[in-house]
Amino acid sequence: MKIIGINGSPRKSQSRTGQLVQEVLNSARTAGAETEYFNITDVKLNFCFACGKCHEVGYCIQKDDFESLMDKIMAADGLVVGSPVYIYQITAQLKVWVDRLGGPTIHCQKLLGKYGAVVATSGSAGENETAQYLESTLINTGMQCVGRVAGSIEVDGLLTPDSSLMQYAKELGLSLVRAIENKQEFPEQIQAHQQFKEYFRYVILQQKEAWNWEYKYWQEKGWL
Ligand SMILES: Cc1cc2nc3c(=O)[nH]c(=O)nc-3n(C[C@H](O)[C@H](O)[C@H](O)COP(=O)(O)O)c2cc1C
């Protein structure tokens, strides 16, 4: 079992979000998973420039780290994504990655069958809305989300190992491993995937010529 973690904070070793994402991974490792961790600011990601080529060819034509990160995610069973709250949203650095999912990853539900977990930290407010946004994003890719750690941390500095958020992160890691092992089903999320497909089917049919690769993917999956 393989689980990837991504921290959307630029503060790397000083990031509380990163501590929590790593704690989820540490706990998953104790339950037998292999893990890999990334700080988003170490991943070279350009803005999506909306060329639309990904719909046609099935991958992003930009020469940066996006496709290699996605290859790792595609080869994994689980994904943990965390962000600090920056003015009631995820960080701009992480949003660049999210925008790049807008091609085949979301349109073709490429992460169907995988499981996700999210982390959000704030200084005072907005952590639940930010966690909710991350969960919706993961569900939009076809994943099922097992839960979140969302906390407001009003003091400076790193979290102590015995803090309640670190304990929640441990539990979240175990939940993630269990969901993967048991192929757990979250009915509301499965329904959301089905609703997406019902609606998006018409978009794919309309864009048949322009979005050649995505049309073929849907055809091969028998979703049309
Ligand atoms: C640019 C910026 C914007 C922020 N915006 C908010 C905010 O809107 N609400 C809030 O409660 N905290 C805000 N914070 C505080 C961070 O969310 C908080 O300190 C978080 O725990 C930092 O996570 P990190 O340690 O992983 O970097 C902001 C911090 C920065 C640097």
Side-chain angles (χ1 to χ4, degrees):
M1 180 191 302
K2 181 96 195 259
I3 301 176
I4 306 285
I6 301 174
N7 173 27
S9 168
R11 298 205 302 168
K12 300 190 184 181
S13 63
Q14 294 312 303
S15 161
R16 291 97 74 97
T17 313
Q19 273 187 292
L20 292 167
V21 171
Q22 288 183 82
E23 195 60 16
V24 176
L25 296 182
N26 293 342
S27 160
R29 263 201 315 279
T30 64
E34 202 186 311
T35 67
E36 196 168 356
Y37 173 76
F38 296 93
N39 284 303
I40 199 76
T41 47
D42 289 333
V43 183
K44 187 176 177 335
L45 288 174
N46 302 323
F47 292 121
C48 169
F49 51 64
C51 66
K53 197 78 184 163
C54 58
H55 310 303
E56 219 179 292
V57 298
Y59 60 89
C60 180
I61 59 165
Q62 295 204 49
K63 300 276 174 272
D64 61 11
D65 295 338
F66 178 74
E67 287 297 335
S68 61
L69 177 59
M70 292 313 292
D71 285 347
K72 284 180 187 284
I73 293 170
M74 283 301 289
D77 307 284
L79 177 65
V80 188
V81 183
S83 181
V85 177
Y86 276 12
I87 319 302
Y88 295 96
Q89 249 298 352
I90 61 170
T91 62
Q93 292 89 335
L94 188 63
K95 184 63 163 57
V96 174
W97 174 72
V98 168
D99 288 353
R100 300 278 293 273
L101 301 175
T105 312
I106 287 177
H107 287 186
C108 296
Q109 304 263 285
K110 290 264 306 277
L111 305 184
L112 259 175
K114 300 185 194 300
Y115 289 86
V118 309
V119 171
T121 71
S122 74
S124 58
E127 65 278 4
N128 276 307
E129 292 82 350
T130 299
Q132 174 71 50
Y133 174 77
L134 284 175
E135 280 171 1
S136 305
T137 300
L138 295 190
I139 294 167
N140 269 329
T141 67
M143 296 180 97
Q144 294 185 78
C145 247
V146 307
R148 67 172 73 159
V149 174
S152 162
I153 309 163
E154 283 162 14
V155 290
D156 288 337
L158 289 169
L159 296 161
T160 57
D162 62 347
S163 72
S164 56
L165 288 177
M166 290 290 263
Q167 299 309 311
Y168 296 146
K170 266 198 188 85
E171 285 164 29
L172 187 58
L174 297 179
S175 303
L176 183 55
V177 168
R178 273 197 301 270
I180 294 168
E181 277 172 351
N182 302 329
K183 296 194 189 321
Q184 197 173 337
E185 294 195 339
F186 297 84
E188 280 178 20
Q189 298 184 36
I190 292 172
Q191 202 185 353
H193 296 155
Q194 277 157 358
Q195 278 168 352
F196 172 87
K197 276 197 225 130
E198 274 162 37
Y199 152 72
F200 215 73
R201 180 172 171 268
Y202 293 100
V203 181
I204 292 286
L205 286 170
Q206 253 175 2
Q207 297 290 336
K208 180 177 170 177
E209 306 299 333
W211 296 359
N212 192 263
W213 188 91
E214 292 185 359
Y215 176 78
K216 278 196 186 130
Y217 189 94
W218 275 65
Q219 210 174 28
E220 277 161 24
K221 289 279 175 191
W223 294 343
L224 292 172

